[in-house]
Amino acid sequence: MKTEARSGGVIARYLEFLPVNKSTPVVSLGEGSTPFLFASRLSDRVGCRVIIKCESMNPTGSFKDRGMTVAVSRALEGGAQTLLCASTGNTAASAAAYAAHAGIRCAVILPAGKIAAGKLTQAAAHGATIVSVNGNFDDALRIVRELANEKHFSVVNSINPDRIAGQKTAAFEIIDELGDAPDVHVLPLGNAGNLTAYSNGYAEFHRLGHCKRKPRMIGIQAEGAAPIFYRRVIEKPETVASAIRIGNPASWRTAQRAIDETQGGVDVVSDSEILDAQRWLAENEGIFVEPASAAPVAWLLNASVTTKERFLSADPIIACTVTGHGLKDAKIISPHLPPSVPPSARAVRAAIER
Ligand code: AN7
C-alpha cells in the first residue's frame, strides 16, 4: 500500500528544478497544480485575454504552500526543531500546517491586531505558538532575523531561498499549460518574494527553451503601503489588504531588477479599488479572493489610458495571480442578510423576486 503524501505536490512534480534530492524527506500537503482559469468577463472589461492563476486553491489557501513544502522539507533534512517566521498571516498559516504535518514545532511572530481572522484561526488550529508583537510586519521580520542564528530555529520566511525556489514552480505550471510564457504577468507586491520567484521561474524555463519569451512583470501595491512604487521605506504602512501591509520589503532589490529587466512596472491601487475588485471578481468570475489578491484585479479594472497604452495594447495574454482565498478575510464583504421570512414557498418566492 502506498502511504506517501498524494503525488502532485510541487516537489514531486518539479524535483529536478528544486534544491532537494532523492533522500530529502518530502513534507507535502499536495500543493501546486492550481487552476489557471480564463476569465471571460474580466477579459471583456480589460480588452485583452486575462488568465487567472488561482493560488488561493493551495492546501492552506495561499501561494505560500509552494515555498513552504521546500523550506520545511529542507529544514527537516537539516534536523530543525522549531520553524520560525514573521508574517502578515498567510506565511504563518502555511508554516503552522506544514510543521504539524512534519511533526515539528512552529512559532509565528505576528503584528498584533493586524492579522485576518481566518489566518489566525489556521495558525491556532495547527498548534503553532503565536507571538503577537506591538509593531508591524517589518518589526516582526527584524526580530526573526535577529533570532535566525540560534541553532534550533529554522526561519521559513522568504529570506530563506528555499521558499523562493518552491514558489517559482507557479511560473513553470503556467508555461507548461500555455505552451509559452504570457506577455504580461501581474500580481500583488508585498515583501516582493513572489514576484522574484515568478521571474526566476520564467527565466529558468526560458534558458531551458521551454518558452520563447519572458513576461513583463508588474507588481501592484496598496497606496498606503507602497515602498517600491514610491522608492522609499514606509515607516507606518496602512491598507485594508493586511497581507501586503509591508513598508520595507525583504526582496525589494531582486524584484526591482526583475521589473526593470522585463520592462515591467510597479503601480498602486487604493483600498476602495481593492475592495470593489474583490467583490467584482467574486460576483463576475466566481473567484473569491482576499483583499491583497484583489489588488492586481483592481489594477486591471481601473487601468488608466497610459497604462493601457504601455502594457495592454497589442492584445497581450495576461496572467494574473490571485494569491489567497477570500474566506481568510471574509469580514470585508459583509453579507447584508435580509430579514428572515415565514417557512412557506410563497414567502420564499416573494423574497427571491423582491
Ligand atoms: C495573499 O504571509 O508576507 O510580495 O507574511 O499573503 O511575496 O510578500 C504575505 C504576503 C500577496 C505578497 N498576497 O507576496 C506573509 C506575507 C497575499 C499574501 C502577498 C502576501 P510577497
Side-chain angles (χ1 to χ4, degrees):
M1 189 172 69
K2 284 191 179 173
T3 55
E4 309 210 330
R6 81 175 157 92
S7 57
V10 299
I11 294 178
R13 185 165 175 185
Y14 292 113
L15 180 76
E16 61 197 293
F17 305 103
L18 295 171
V20 291
N21 56 52
K22 290 251 154 60
S23 62
T24 306
V26 175
V27 182
S28 172
L29 290 167
E31 62 295 317
S33 302
T34 53
F36 190 44
L37 301 176
F38 179 70
S40 59
R41 265 160 295 274
L42 184 56
S43 296
D44 285 349
R45 271 284 299 260
V46 180
C48 23
R49 286 163 291 173
V50 184
I51 317 180
I52 298 186
K53 184 65 170 161
C54 297
E55 289 294 281
S56 43
M57 300 303 284
N58 276 297
T60 76
S62 88
F63 71 101
K64 304 286 181 183
D65 297 341
R66 286 181 190 275
M68 205 56 73
T69 182
V70 178
V72 178
S73 298
R74 292 261 290 160
L76 204 63
E77 187 175 23
Q81 291 158 15
T82 304
L83 303 183
L84 181 67
C85 68
S87 182
T88 58
N90 280 324
T91 298
S94 183
Y98 282 76
H101 199 63
I104 56 177
R105 286 193 61 203
C106 177
V108 301
I109 319 302
L110 309 176
K114 297 295 182 185
I115 306 296
K119 302 173 190 178
L120 210 49
T121 304
Q122 288 178 288
H126 294 302
T129 301
I130 297 172
V131 184
S132 295
V133 296
N134 295 320
N136 57 31
F137 169 81
D138 303 289
D139 296 314
L141 186 59
R142 172 178 49 77
I143 294 163
V144 163
R145 285 182 197 273
E146 282 174 36
L147 296 175
N149 294 329
E150 298 182 18
K151 210 167 79 256
H152 52 291
F153 288 138
S154 182
V155 174
V156 294
N157 278 107
S158 58
I159 53 175
N160 176 342
D162 296 335
R163 278 274 316 280
I164 306 282
Q167 284 172 212
K168 76 184 172 184
T169 58
F172 294 169
E173 288 177 16
I174 289 174
I175 292 166
D176 283 345
E177 203 147 333
L178 279 181
D180 201 347
D183 299 295
V184 172
H185 192 124
V186 59
L187 75 169
L189 190 56
N191 221 15
N194 210 26
L195 190 144
T196 300
Y198 271 99
S199 69
N200 288 353
Y202 285 125
E204 189 168 344
F205 263 24
H206 188 258
R207 274 197 304 277
L208 294 169
H210 294 324
C211 55
K212 292 192 281 297
R213 53 192 175 208
K214 287 190 272 184
R216 303 172 79 174
M217 298 301 303
I218 300 179
I220 308 301
Q221 303 202 290
E223 215 159 48
I228 301 182
F229 180 79
Y230 291 116
R231 296 180 180 271
R232 63 182 167 82
V233 171
I234 307 293
E235 298 293 342
K236 292 194 179 354
E238 275 310 335
T239 168
V240 67
S242 58
I244 51 172
R245 186 173 168 271
I246 294 171
N248 189 10
S251 300
W252 189 331
R253 276 203 303 191
T254 48
Q256 187 66 59
R257 198 181 318 129
I259 289 163
D260 294 342
E261 280 175 8
T262 62
Q263 278 110 50
V266 184
D267 212 341
V268 288
V269 290
S270 70
D271 276 4
S272 67
E273 286 171 335
I274 285 173
L275 294 178
D276 287 350
Q278 182 190 24
R279 182 182 292 271
W280 190 93
L281 193 70
E283 288 182 356
N284 292 280
E285 296 287 359
I287 301 172
F288 184 28
V289 302
E290 64 170 283
S293 307
V297 179
W299 181 78
L300 287 168
L301 288 172
N302 297 291
S304 65
V305 176
T306 333
T307 296
K308 285 194 165 141
E309 277 169 9
R310 210 170 140 207
F311 296 109
L312 310 178
S313 60
D315 194 25
I317 293 178
I318 303 172
C320 173
T321 298
V322 294
T323 42
H325 204 286
L327 289 173
K328 286 170 172 281
D329 199 354
K331 77 171 188 310
I332 305 288
I333 293 184
S334 58
H336 297 301
L337 282 181
S340 54
V341 301
S344 74
R346 215 180 100 198
V348 170
R349 189 185 310 111
I352 292 170
E353 284 166 2
R354 183 158 47 217

